[in-house]
Amino acid sequence: MSKSDRQEFERLGQEEKNLTFQSFSRADALSLGLTILDYSKKFSDPIAVEITINGLVVFRHFTDGSMADSEYWLERKRNSVELMGMSSLRFRSWLAVFGQTLKERLLNPQDYATFGGGFPLLLEGTGMIGSICVSGLPDDLEDHACIVESIRQMQQPS
């Protein structure tokens, strides 16, 4: 474990804590999904977006040009978020901090992704109620940033 791995893990944990919702409805999922799609317009690459609440997909969209495997990537990122209760990017840091791999955790890499683009949907006083996943941007950190920046935008006072 390196000091930078630990710092990144802690930074991502604080980020999740800061991006907790006081309430979150299906209408909010639609609004967040559309905000993510709007944010993604600054990239030329197509994206896929999925938001779940309590195991139900309440928003899903694949922009023109999305590949069929985007659905597979959304599923892998969602699986990681649901299993670990943290972003898929933070899960990657968690593995680095503890010096482990998916295989060592007995997790099939075909079912779980340790790339940015999966984020827990956290409700204040309740905990995780779902997930927000993005796939398709050229760098997995951009997938992650697309979610984070969209939540920040949505949480800003009007």
Side-chain angles (χ1 to χ4, degrees), residues 19 32-43 47-49 116-117 119 132-137 139-153:
L19 298 175
L32 179 57
L34 294 174
T35 301
I36 291 170
L37 290 172
D38 189 54
Y39 179 89
S40 75
K41 288 179 182 174
K42 63 178 149 176
F43 302 97
I47 68 162
V49 181
F119 203 86
I132 308 155
C133 297
V134 169
S135 187
L137 295 176
D139 183 318
D140 67 311
L141 298 179
E142 291 168 344
D143 285 344
H144 181 84
C146 192
I147 297 168
V148 167
E149 294 307 318
S150 296
I151 293 172
R152 284 186 180 135
Q153 181 180 338

Side-chain angles (χ1 to χ4, degrees), residues 1-6 8-9 89-102 104 114:
M1 161 185 63
S2 75
K3 184 177 179 182
S4 64
D5 289 334
R6 171 64 71 181
E8 180 69 355
F9 177 73
L89 189 58
R90 187 169 176 224
F91 183 27
R92 177 166 66 198
S93 291
W94 186 91
L95 290 169
V97 165
F98 291 98
Q100 296 187 343
T101 66
L102 286 176
E104 289 170 332
T114 57

Side-chain angles (χ1 to χ4, degrees), residues 1-153:
M1 161 185 63
S2 75
K3 184 177 179 182
S4 64
D5 289 334
R6 171 64 71 181
Q7 289 172 336
E8 180 69 355
F9 177 73
E10 291 172 4
R11 183 193 69 76
L12 291 167
Q14 188 60 50
E15 179 179 73
E16 290 169 12
K17 196 176 200 181
N18 293 341
L19 298 175
T20 299
F21 290 90
Q22 299 225 350
S23 64
F24 197 86
S25 66
R26 291 181 186 184
D28 293 325
L30 175 61
S31 179
L32 179 57
L34 294 174
T35 301
I36 291 170
L37 290 172
D38 189 54
Y39 179 89
S40 75
K41 288 179 182 174
K42 63 178 149 176
F43 302 97
S44 59
D45 299 280
I47 68 162
V49 181
E50 176 188 272
I51 300 173
T52 65
I53 299 175
N54 297 323
L56 178 66
V57 175
V58 295
F59 183 90
R60 183 184 264 184
H61 185 78
F62 297 79
T63 61
D64 289 337
S66 293
M67 304 293 288
D69 70 342
S70 293
E71 188 164 7
Y72 174 66
W73 279 100
L74 289 174
E75 180 181 7
R76 292 175 65 213
K77 292 175 183 187
R78 178 181 1 99
N79 288 345
S80 292
V81 171
E82 290 176 357
L83 176 71
M84 298 302 291
M86 64 179 71
S87 73
S88 51
L89 189 58
R90 187 169 176 224
F91 183 27
R92 177 166 66 198
S93 291
W94 186 91
L95 290 169
V97 165
F98 291 98
Q100 296 187 343
T101 66
L102 286 176
K103 288 184 179 185
E104 289 170 332
R105 299 281 310 160
L106 303 178
L107 299 172
N108 187 338
Q110 294 179 337
D111 296 327
Y112 296 89
T114 57
F115 299 94
F119 203 86
L121 180 50
L122 299 166
L123 197 59
E124 189 175 302
T126 301
M128 191 172 88
I129 62 164
S131 63
I132 308 155
C133 297
V134 169
S135 187
L137 295 176
D139 183 318
D140 67 311
L141 298 179
E142 291 168 344
D143 285 344
H144 181 84
C146 192
I147 297 168
V148 167
E149 294 307 318
S150 296
I151 293 172
R152 284 186 180 135
Q153 181 180 338

